[in-house]
């Protein structure tokens, strides 16, 4: 008998029928002899509808009250799920984030978890009940106000409670069958990855794979909590994210293990043209962008031209923040003395992720060669220990993903019957 | 500077525009120098929609989870209201029933308030904030589970918090201008009653006047908290419900003070025909109905006919419970030995309420005379210290209300511009 934490997203509980289906799945895990804790998100589009409602009342709603409003969403889904489980003859008790002991800081809208004290959850389990917990929410340590955790909050709630309860595993249910070697909508022959390390999953998430949020993987890695990412629409095994990659294949230990190819179309590129080649100019530029609250991803600085002592600095950022970035830089143009700005949101990023990549120089050569053969021009390159990312034209992303996937022999013999993202609603 | 508690019902906050209008009203009270605590119900039809959702998931949802679900309704309205107040330049903080210290027993769906510990509300007021509190909900003392208070719960929350905070008054905002001498839809010349005692208001509420729930008036009476019932759509004075009736008129002290005429079409009548005239038969009959969870209102037993030693017993009950009542009685028919049951849901109850009625025998005579003159047949009569109720045919209710209203000189000189019930949505 084990303790399992399951997390179901909004699309898994989109309507009454979906709630009942999820209830059956939960009861099945209980019947197998497990103690079961379930984290649930708000139903379908509830959160967006509540945001709409807030906009109709107030142009700039305060964080405390917006969190109070939004947390109504999980309150509904968790109560409904507990009812549906009750109809199947098992007792379930729902708990808000606050009741479940999810203690956070006071930053409304994107609070960080600072402690988890799941006494009431432990007690419910001891009483033989299934515990249903609202994802995405907590209570602030200082003011006892209700908070929300922001993006990836429900996944993070699940991992945090799993760690605090010393669960055997944290199952994240989603609408795909697991982590794939590439987006099957682009590469129909992409394979499910049976297992992947925390570090590789972090690089995949940072490179645009939307299946797990960076934050949840970071939390799991810190507490060494195994995550099982799987579909709520099938009983197949999904992908295990854990300490060491123990795939069903036994690869040659000296060969680099490639996890997959990720891509991201949500970024834009800013080039600062003609920056005087003086100490501290780059620092001034990136400080101004950071002060505007913009996260920068890749940075490339060219060698300065000998005749002008000027250089170009390019970086990528979320396209949503493009305007903020350009405004911040325009404000310091005179002070820094650069010549102009170029903004380009027609780019895409393609990344190859896998362990042991750096020690195998052949990996970069194969990657660049495959893109050249496919006629894809590379605009920027960035590498880490276990990742190589390139920025290409947006319209070349699909070609690049397919070319790299094939070049590293990731194609499976048969097409798996999945759709990557956005089913079942 | 005073402390005022205001309560706004669901129709007062039915949509974004209504929420903003209420926010202005609250800010006006704050600007007058008051400390302001606001109790708010769920928006418009939210509670019904949540009940629908529960029905789609579960045929018989558990009480704990149903309360968890329903309390999402006030959570939304209170957060939105706080946002709207923020936009007007005042800081409002919303609190759930639990956060506001509304402590209840554990009877889900109709919990009773057993304590109010409004420490966080007091602190918010001390910080200069407006406190917005979810009506209709609390937290159970034993299990710390979320509870709902059932019918009249939001009004009761308002009065309970007003009492616990030692407020100067509790203002109940509704969609009518106050308590009237009769339903203005039936009697266009009905007058607003400027003030009424707790006891009279209790009788009015028990007699079918829907403006305040019995429970809230009982609570106010126990703590001597003055209630001001008024319209959220005007700034006119409404009706004060308080210890002594201090109307603007100064009536002759020896004359009975008539508060008004109430009516109720929601009851049905059951007649148990041919009950053997033995000790204990009535007790058996009413015990069986009570055990079925049915509240009985009026009871009439005729003198038994000398030749048969049998009698008829009639009583009224909520028409919603009619089936339960008939089933309970049918089950004991053989044991009791009565002849038959007659069920009649085509009846209506009309009540005259006023202080000092019993000591003025002329009141009954005037009332019965006015009905006779109007051609209305009386089926049952019941009286209390400050009320006379009659059961008549349902189609005679309007005629009876008008006739009694006129007979006691309650008609005003002019028609007031109100609609009784159901405006503004």
């Amino acid at each position: 008998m084990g303790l399992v934490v399951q997390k179901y997203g909004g699309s898994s509980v989109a309507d009454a029928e979906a709630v009942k289906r999820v209830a059956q799945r939960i009861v099945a895990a209980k019947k197998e002899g497990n103690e079961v804790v379930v984290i649930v998100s708000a139903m379908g589009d509830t959160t967006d509808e509540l945001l709409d409602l807030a906009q109709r009342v107030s142009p700039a709603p305060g964080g405390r009250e917006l969190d109070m409003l939004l947390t109504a969403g999980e309150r509904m889904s968790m109560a409904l799920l507990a009812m549906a489980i009750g109809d199947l003859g098992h007792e379930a008790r729902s708990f808000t984030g606050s009741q479940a002991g999810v203690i956070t800081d006071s930053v409304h809208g994107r609070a960080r978890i600072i402690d988890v004290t799941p006494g009431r959850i432990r007690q419910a389990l001891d009483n033989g009940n299934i515990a249903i917990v609202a994802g995405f929410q907590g209570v602030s340590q200082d003011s006892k106000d209700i908070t929300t955790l922001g993006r990836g909050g429900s996944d993070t709630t699940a991992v945090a409670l799993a760690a605090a309860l010393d669960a055997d595993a944290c199952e994240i249910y989603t609408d795909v069958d697991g982590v794939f070697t590439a987006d099957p909508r682009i590469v129909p022959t992409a394979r499910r990855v049976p297992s992947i390390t925390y570090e590789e999953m972090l690089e995949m998430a940072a490179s645009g794979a939307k299946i797990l949020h960076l934050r949840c993987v970071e939390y799991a890695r810190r507490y060494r909590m195994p995550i099982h990412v799987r579909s709520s629409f099938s009983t197949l095994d999904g992908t295990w994210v854990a300490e060491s990659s123990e795939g069903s294949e036994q690869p040659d230990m000296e060969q680099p293990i490639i996890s997959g190819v990720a891509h991201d179309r949500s970024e834009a590129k800013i080039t600062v043209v003609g920056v005087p080649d003086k100490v501290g100019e780059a620092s001034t530029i990136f400080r101004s962008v950071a002060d505007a609250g913009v996260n920068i991803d890749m940075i490339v600085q060219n060698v300065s031209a000998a005749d002008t002592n000027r250089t170009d600095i390019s970086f990528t950022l979320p396209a949503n923040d493009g305007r903020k970035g350009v405004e911040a830089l325009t404000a310091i143009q005179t002070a820094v003395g650069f010549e102009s700005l170029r903004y380009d949101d027609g780019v895409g990023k393609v990344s190859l992720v896998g362990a042991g990549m750096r020690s195998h120089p052949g990996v970069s050569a194969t990657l660049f060669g495959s893109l050249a053969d496919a006629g894809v021009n590379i605009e920027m390159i960035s590498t880490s220990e276990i990742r190589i990312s390139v920025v290409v034209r947006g319209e070349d992303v699909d070609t690049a993903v397919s070319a790299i996937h094939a070049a590293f022999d990731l194609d499976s013999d048969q097409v798996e019957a999945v759709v990557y993202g956005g089913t079942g609603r």
Side-chain angles (χ1 to χ4, degrees), chain A:
Chain A
M1 171 157 160
L3 196 166
V4 62
V5 172
Q6 300 187 331
K7 181 260 172 177
Y8 294 91
S11 62
S12 300
V13 290
D15 56 29
E17 288 312 309
V19 167
K20 287 193 250 189
R21 202 164 48 229
V22 165
Q24 288 180 328
R25 181 139 207 161
I26 293 166
V27 165
K30 171 77 174 165
K31 279 185 177 167
E32 287 168 10
N34 296 297
E35 294 185 313
V36 184
V37 177
V38 176
I39 317 301
V40 67
S41 302
M43 296 169 80
D45 302 323
T46 306
T47 302
D48 288 339
E49 287 165 13
L50 291 172
L51 281 169
D52 272 3
L53 197 53
Q55 280 298 324
R56 286 205 295 276
V57 167
S58 170
R64 180 187 189 277
E65 300 306 325
L66 194 57
D67 281 356
M68 188 66 95
L69 179 71
L70 293 181
T71 48
E74 294 85 34
R75 194 178 193 87
M76 293 186 245
S77 55
M78 73 183 190
L80 292 168
L81 189 52
M83 290 175 196
I85 292 171
D87 283 341
L88 298 175
H90 288 261
E91 192 168 354
R93 297 174 79 79
S94 66
F95 298 93
T96 64
S98 172
Q99 291 175 332
V102 179
I103 316 292
T104 72
D105 62 22
S106 300
V107 184
H108 287 290
R110 49 188 175 90
R112 312 289 304 187
I113 296 174
I114 54 183
D115 197 7
V116 181
T117 55
R120 292 187 67 177
I121 305 301
R122 187 63 260 171
Q123 195 189 337
L125 296 176
D126 290 345
N127 292 339
N129 298 328
I130 295 168
I132 314 290
V133 179
F136 179 68
Q137 57 177 250
V139 62
S140 69
Q141 191 166 50
D142 297 340
S143 58
K144 311 293 178 220
D145 285 329
I146 303 303
T147 54
T148 63
L149 308 181
R151 290 203 156 268
S154 288
D155 288 358
T156 307
T157 304
V159 171
L161 267 169
L165 290 163
D166 198 19
D168 296 289
C170 180
E171 300 183 338
I172 306 270
Y173 285 86
T174 177
D175 47 13
V176 296
D177 282 341
V179 179
F180 277 70
T181 51
D183 186 340
R185 286 175 302 194
I186 297 178
V187 185
T189 53
R191 285 181 295 114
R192 180 179 57 79
V193 179
S195 67
I196 188 170
T197 65
Y198 296 115
E199 290 74 16
E200 290 163 333
M201 194 66 228
L202 283 176
E203 292 283 6
M204 290 287 277
S207 303
K210 293 185 180 62
I211 198 153
L212 280 182
H213 283 270
L214 205 54
R215 181 174 176 191
C216 141
V217 183
E218 283 170 349
Y219 205 110
R221 180 188 183 212
R222 188 169 312 128
Y223 290 92
R224 301 285 144 189
M225 174 54 57
I227 298 179
H228 189 186
V229 182
R230 56 197 305 199
S231 167
S232 60
F233 301 100
S234 86
T235 54
L236 296 175
D237 260 11
T239 297
W240 281 92
V241 184
E243 191 132 17
S244 62
S245 186
E246 292 164 8
S248 46
E249 308 100 308
Q250 287 295 330
D252 182 338
M253 294 305 289
E254 288 296 312
Q255 285 301 309
I257 300 162
I258 302 297
S259 298
V261 184
H263 69 277
D264 188 352
R265 295 180 209 269
S266 69
E267 297 198 338
K269 184 176 76 166
I270 290 180
T271 303
V272 190
V273 179
V275 181
D277 195 1
K278 288 188 297 190
V279 171
E281 296 294 49
S283 164
T284 306
I285 285 170
F286 290 114
R287 168 59 49 205
S288 77
V289 176
D291 287 348
V294 175
N295 278 322
I296 284 172
D297 181 23
M298 290 168 65
I299 300 175
V300 171
Q301 177 174 350
N302 300 337
V303 177
S304 56
D307 53 342
T308 61
N309 270 336
R310 285 179 181 267
T311 184
D312 297 344
I313 298 180
S314 296
F315 62 91
T316 60
L317 75 175
N320 284 340
D321 288 336
R323 186 173 170 163
K324 276 200 286 186
V326 169
E327 285 174 354
L329 290 171
T330 303
I332 59 164
Q333 178 162 12
T334 311
V336 173
F338 63 80
E339 288 165 5
S340 63
L341 287 177
R342 277 208 299 269
Y343 178 74
D344 180 0
D345 59 6
V347 297
K349 185 173 72 166
V350 179
S351 305
L352 181 70
V353 176
M357 196 174 275
R358 188 66 73 87
S359 55
H360 289 265
V363 171
S364 328
T366 304
L367 191 152
F368 300 147
S370 70
L371 291 181
D373 291 346
V376 173
N377 188 43
I378 299 172
E379 301 195 3
M380 294 170 78
I381 301 173
S382 142
T383 62
S384 80
E385 191 65 34
I386 57 173
R387 177 183 52 79
I388 304 174
S389 296
V390 296
V391 170
V392 300
R393 298 314 305 161
E395 60 267 26
D396 286 341
V397 165
D398 287 8
T399 309
V401 169
S402 296
I404 297 170
H405 199 265
F408 287 91
D409 290 329
L410 295 172
D411 291 344
S412 70
D413 294 337
Q414 54 186 14
V415 177
E416 296 216 19
V418 294
V419 178
Y420 207 71
T423 67
R425 304 226 343 219

